[in-house]
Amino acid sequence: MAVKLLIVEDHPDVRRGLEKGLRLAGYAIDVAVDGTEGEYYIRNFEYGGIILDIMLPGKNGMELLEIVRELGDTPVLMLSAKDGVEDRVAGLEQGADDYLVKPFSYDELKARVKALLRRSMGAVTKDLVCGAVRVDSKKKEVYLEDVRVELTSGEYSVLETLMLKKDEVVSRSYLYEQIGEISEDGFSNAIDVMICKIRRKLGKSLIETRRGQGYIIH
């Protein structure tokens, strides 16, 4: 499944280069051209990571970083033309996970993004448990009453996402973003089919449908 990233960058050439390079690296990308648009995406969508320029029209990168941290712990890589130690320290102290000075190598950028996501996902190595169902996130295996149950990669991704967000309603569109292998036109029906198959394998009561909202595991 493709990790979805948000790029907030006002310089057209840098923005296009970031988008092209990261798409080729296999990431799903949203792009914001200024602080106002960036705030909209940050408040309304969820991302695996955010690449955030500091000098932006509207709200600047530091203001957006503050909003990101108010909402959660999404990994953030800050970009800046300023290479002073005090600027890097300010960004890191405010909650940035990494800091890259322009101009930069796109190979270095991709390596830093990969490391950032690896660190953030490294916490997801313990078992996820709901009743008799256990998900081993490290081995990507699922057990019912300690008996291993075979799921497809898509079914596993849906189940793990719901387990990670236990007691939260998760929308079909968010589940689709986590899968990344379904055509957009048919994602809603495909998600429903996967949910049905997971219930058949692990129990009807495991996943609750919230009509018009999505699904939830308690």
Side-chain angles (χ1 to χ4, degrees):
M1 68 185 167
V3 175
K4 192 166 189 179
L5 304 176
L6 172 65
I7 298 169
V8 188
E9 169 62 63
D10 65 315
H11 192 287
D13 291 339
V14 175
R15 187 173 62 245
R16 283 193 292 267
L18 286 169
E19 182 178 8
K20 181 179 179 180
L22 291 170
R23 284 192 191 280
L24 288 173
Y27 298 102
I29 304 294
D30 278 346
V31 177
V33 302
D34 56 36
T36 302
E37 190 174 22
E39 181 180 7
Y40 170 79
Y41 279 109
I42 288 166
R43 291 193 182 279
N44 290 280
F45 301 95
E46 296 188 49
Y47 297 96
I50 298 174
I51 299 169
L52 183 58
D53 188 28
I54 290 182
M55 303 298 291
L56 292 166
K59 281 188 168 62
N60 63 42
M62 291 298 189
E63 291 173 306
L64 292 182
L65 178 58
E66 187 175 349
I67 293 169
V68 174
R69 288 294 164 255
E70 287 174 359
L71 296 173
D73 56 359
T74 303
V76 175
L77 171 62
M78 301 292 289
L79 302 178
S80 177
K82 298 181 179 181
D83 60 357
V85 173
E86 64 276 8
D87 297 305
R88 293 197 296 274
V89 170
L92 295 170
E93 284 187 343
Q94 190 157 323
D97 298 276
D98 202 354
Y99 190 104
L100 190 58
V101 177
K102 300 176 182 178
F104 51 80
S105 155
Y106 281 99
D107 287 338
E108 181 182 6
L109 173 89
K110 287 185 285 187
R112 285 177 181 253
V113 168
K114 187 175 181 179
L116 202 67
L117 297 176
R118 187 169 60 244
R119 289 199 302 270
S120 70
M121 297 176 71
V124 188
T125 57
K126 64 180 182 179
D127 288 356
L128 304 169
V129 180
C130 181
V133 176
R134 177 170 61 88
V135 174
D136 185 329
S137 296
K138 189 172 184 179
K139 295 181 179 179
K140 304 295 183 185
E141 295 176 349
V142 179
Y143 296 85
L144 176 63
E145 300 285 4
D146 292 324
V147 177
R148 186 178 174 186
V149 178
E150 293 292 337
L151 300 185
T152 66
S153 60
E155 291 164 5
Y156 177 86
S157 296
V158 168
L159 177 64
E160 184 183 55
T161 299
L162 290 170
M163 295 281 273
L164 285 168
K165 291 183 168 290
K166 192 174 179 181
D167 297 322
E168 295 181 38
V169 177
V170 182
S171 68
R172 285 182 176 84
S173 59
Y174 182 78
L175 289 171
Y176 159 69
E177 290 172 2
Q178 306 311 300
I179 305 303
E181 61 189 41
I182 309 168
S183 66
E184 190 166 355
D185 291 338
F187 83 85
S188 181
N189 181 63
I191 294 295
D192 291 343
V193 170
M194 287 185 189
I195 294 287
C196 182
K197 290 181 177 179
I198 293 169
R199 285 171 172 156
R200 191 179 305 141
K201 295 175 181 180
L202 299 175
K204 293 181 179 179
S205 63
L206 177 64
I207 302 172
E208 177 187 341
T209 301
R210 292 286 180 87
R211 191 174 298 278
Q213 297 179 342
Y215 299 97
I216 184 171
I217 283 180
H218 295 289

